[in-house]
Amino acid sequence: MKIGIFFFDLFIFMQIFFFVQPEVSKDFVNCKHCFFQDTPPYLNGLTEQNSVQICQRHRLLNRYFFAINYNSVHRIPYYSAYLIDSFDKGGKRDSFWYLEPQLAGTDPSFHPHIVKDNNQQIYKDSQALNEDYRASGYDRGHLNPSFYHNETKQARQVTNSLTNVAPQVGDFNKGIWNKLEISLYNAMNDSCNFAGAKRYFITGVVPSSGTTIPNGRVNVPDYFWTVMCCDSSGANEPSKKMMGWSAAFIGGNINNSSIYVYTIEDFLNYLAKLLFSSHPKLFADYYVEETKIRNCLFNQTQASTMVNGIIRDNDRFENKSLFN
């Protein structure tokens, strides 16, 4: 009996450690489907310097879960790009944190599969370790939220890579940022849960100019932000093809923070100032027949309805754009 249990546990171990495989992938060549219109963001002056593109892959399922733009100097992700694929429940949150061995170099001894973080020093130059966060005063703040991927254990597990987290003030992480994540999940479930719809997210940070956790290894971002897009262009029902919407949300990484809500276009102007970036882009523009879809905004009325509903539920959410 014990032998059977041993081999079952070994099988689970192999599923976890030999099938979840990050890929360092220049220009996200293998996971462009994680981006609206297969087009990664352009954040001139930020992601083009000292950053690595990672595609989180499950080999057994032959599936790429999400994309990460990671900076090995600041040891934080600049952003994670992902979709809500399903509103099904079932997956459990993983209790372990994981590292990405491929970031440690091209030495063949560094295998390509995520590994549990036991604070191995061979990885510390390329990424944050679990020990960096212990007693630091900061939470491990997910960019791609674990609970957005409830459908399977594997879908939740890959979000627990330390390349998908950045130092987050506890009050902000557990308070208003958590409220935002729940509100956006519910809004997508209410308005974008129909056949043919796709639900895109990019969650990122604005690095600080020098604030780090106490040991000096990991940058503490000044802001966390999320942009989201309900892409209805592939809807099966013609009446829903232009019922998509988009919006942007940003909050300071401080106690008692507020969330500011923008149209994508207005947010891009704000983000350009924060990042000292020239003409950043988050969602690609394209045409549906004769209609140009700018910044993934399909329907202004729908966007206003959804955004104002989110704001009404949260007294520290502030409308900064013309969501009437």
Side-chain angles (χ1 to χ4, degrees):
M1 181 68 176
K2 290 183 178 179
I3 294 176
I5 293 174
F6 168 79
F7 281 106
F8 177 76
D9 288 344
L10 180 61
F11 172 74
I12 296 300
F13 176 88
M14 290 177 66
Q15 280 193 311
I16 292 172
F17 296 105
F18 295 100
F19 294 137
V20 178
Q21 178 180 357
E23 291 184 5
V24 174
S25 177
K26 183 174 175 57
D27 298 324
F28 299 108
V29 65
N30 291 322
C31 55
K32 287 189 176 181
H33 70 279
C34 295
F35 304 97
F36 179 65
Q37 294 295 302
D38 297 335
T39 305
Y42 172 72
L43 301 174
N44 183 35
L46 182 67
T47 55
E48 288 69 35
Q49 299 178 16
N50 302 314
S51 67
V52 178
Q53 293 79 47
I54 300 171
C55 296
Q56 286 286 14
R57 181 189 179 204
H58 194 289
R59 289 197 300 137
L60 182 65
L61 302 177
N62 194 25
R63 174 186 168 192
Y64 292 90
F65 283 91
F66 68 106
I68 304 170
N69 191 296
Y70 189 77
N71 183 274
S72 292
V73 176
H74 289 320
R75 299 185 179 90
I76 56 173
Y78 281 148
Y79 64 77
S80 292
Y82 52 96
L83 295 90
I84 295 180
D85 291 316
S86 169
F87 295 99
D88 294 336
K89 306 295 182 182
K92 295 182 179 179
R93 181 167 184 171
D94 203 290
S95 58
F96 296 102
W97 294 97
Y98 299 94
L99 298 173
E100 309 281 16
Q102 283 195 341
L103 296 183
T106 57
D107 189 319
S109 65
F110 294 113
H111 61 76
H113 316 290
I114 64 172
V115 296
K116 284 185 181 178
D117 178 17
N118 295 317
N119 299 314
Q120 298 98 315
Q121 297 304 299
I122 57 174
Y123 302 127
K124 68 180 297 183
D125 289 342
S126 63
Q127 59 201 280
L129 305 179
N130 201 26
E131 69 181 10
D132 291 319
Y133 284 90
R134 288 178 179 154
S136 70
Y138 293 94
D139 290 354
R140 303 165 189 82
H142 283 79
L143 272 66
N144 181 2
S146 175
F147 80 92
Y148 276 25
H149 310 285
N150 281 322
E151 62 273 19
T152 65
K153 178 178 180 178
Q154 292 84 356
R156 300 197 76 178
Q157 182 183 49
V158 293
T159 67
N160 264 30
S161 166
L162 285 169
T163 56
N164 182 47
V165 303
Q168 204 164 29
V169 171
D171 174 78
F172 179 59
N173 179 34
K174 298 181 183 69
I176 198 163
W177 190 254
N178 180 249
K179 289 182 179 180
L180 174 65
E181 290 176 334
I182 293 171
S183 294
L184 297 187
Y185 182 89
N186 291 338
M188 283 296 202
N189 196 4
D190 291 341
S191 73
C192 201
N193 190 9
F194 49 85
K198 292 183 179 180
R199 299 163 287 267
Y200 293 95
F201 287 82
I202 306 170
T203 299
V205 302
V206 176
S208 64
S209 60
T211 304
T212 64
I213 59 178
N215 67 8
R217 282 180 27 87
V218 184
N219 185 279
V220 178
D222 286 335
Y223 298 91
F224 281 71
W225 53 265
T226 286
V227 293
M228 48 79 62
C229 163
C230 170
D231 179 4
S232 62
S233 61
N236 292 0
E237 297 179 33
S239 63
K240 293 186 179 295
K241 283 190 177 291
M242 294 299 292
M243 288 305 293
W245 61 286
S246 65
F249 307 82
I250 187 169
N253 190 19
I254 56 176
N255 291 325
N256 300 313
S257 186
S258 295
I259 297 292
Y260 299 99
V261 188
Y262 292 85
T263 63
I264 302 296
E265 191 161 4
D266 287 346
F267 180 67
L268 286 171
N269 293 330
Y270 183 48
L271 192 63
K273 296 176 182 178
L274 291 177
L275 299 178
F276 304 101
S277 176
S278 175
H279 306 297
K281 296 180 180 179
L282 292 169
F283 294 128
D285 296 340
Y286 81 112
Y287 283 89
V288 175
E289 296 177 350
E290 300 300 320
T291 304
K292 186 176 183 180
I293 305 300
R294 287 185 53 81
N295 299 313
C296 200
L297 183 63
F298 287 75
N299 187 312
Q300 175 68 48
T301 301
Q302 179 75 347
S304 297
T305 298
M306 299 309 302
V307 165
N308 286 318
I310 292 169
I311 291 172
R312 280 194 299 271
D313 292 338
N314 299 278
D315 58 4
R316 282 192 286 138
F317 283 33
E318 184 175 334
N319 185 346
K320 302 293 286 186
S321 290
L322 296 177
F323 289 112
N324 296 319

